[in-house]
Amino acid sequence: MKNALFVIFLFSSFISSACSCAPYYSYCEARSLVPYDVIVYGQVLDTNLLNIRIKRFQTIEGIEIRDTITVWNDSNFWCTGTISMKASGIGNPGDSIIVMLPRINVPVNAWEIPGDYRRPSYLCAQSTLKVKNKIVLGTINQTVDNSVIPP
């Protein structure tokens, strides 16, 4: 029994240290840390188990002309598996967002489609900002120096 508890404690300590974010980088800092092809301003239309669809209002940086873009889940098996990298973590239906997105050139997951986008892989940086009543919300330009990801 003692050995089993020790193994569980050891494993949970390893997982929690492997997935902590200290520091957590701001959106402005993320622009140099997170590989992306476009930055778009849009609204989350819907979500499902594998992707979300975003109605694009404006392309801020990069080239994208489609009215609706699809963002697929990424996978991060070093942390908590595909759950941590679900595209739905970008926002809920109806949310207005500004988001950095890497284009899928070569699929790395069975569900991806070339030309669409995947959720940014870097967990320790703010790659999405919410827009509410014309006010941009999120960690825009200040690094948070702790191991808790801000809301």
Side-chain angles (χ1 to χ4, degrees), residues 14-148:
F14 171 75
I15 293 298
S16 65
S17 66
C19 296
S20 66
C21 288
Y24 184 79
Y25 295 101
S26 70
Y27 188 86
C28 290
E29 293 168 313
R31 292 186 69 193
S32 63
L33 296 171
V34 177
Y36 66 91
D37 293 294
V38 298
I39 298 176
V40 297
Y41 166 51
Q43 184 177 52
V44 178
L45 292 174
D46 53 45
T47 65
N48 62 48
L49 292 176
L50 292 177
N51 63 43
I52 66 171
R53 290 184 321 128
I54 298 173
K55 178 179 180 168
R56 183 187 60 84
F57 297 143
Q58 179 183 4
T59 301
I60 296 171
E61 194 171 305
I63 298 171
E64 179 55 69
I65 58 170
R66 293 176 286 183
D67 290 336
T68 303
I69 59 175
T70 302
V71 181
W72 295 90
N73 295 347
D74 196 3
S75 54
N76 178 6
F77 296 106
W78 294 107
C79 194
T80 57
T82 57
I83 294 171
S84 68
M85 298 306 297
K86 283 191 173 287
S88 60
I90 290 173
N92 297 312
D95 286 352
S96 292
I97 57 170
I98 297 171
V99 61
M100 295 177 221
L101 295 170
R103 183 172 281 118
I104 299 169
N105 295 317
V106 177
V108 294
N109 297 300
W111 52 84
E112 296 179 333
I113 297 173
D116 284 347
Y117 298 92
R118 76 172 53 97
R119 178 171 176 159
S121 298
Y122 196 71
L123 293 174
C124 298
Q126 182 87 37
S127 59
T128 304
L129 297 170
K130 305 278 189 202
V131 180
K132 226 177 213 180
N133 299 323
K134 298 184 181 180
I135 297 172
V136 179
L137 306 169
T139 307
I140 297 171
N141 65 2
Q142 184 177 5
T143 296
V144 178
D145 193 17
N146 63 25
S147 61
V148 178

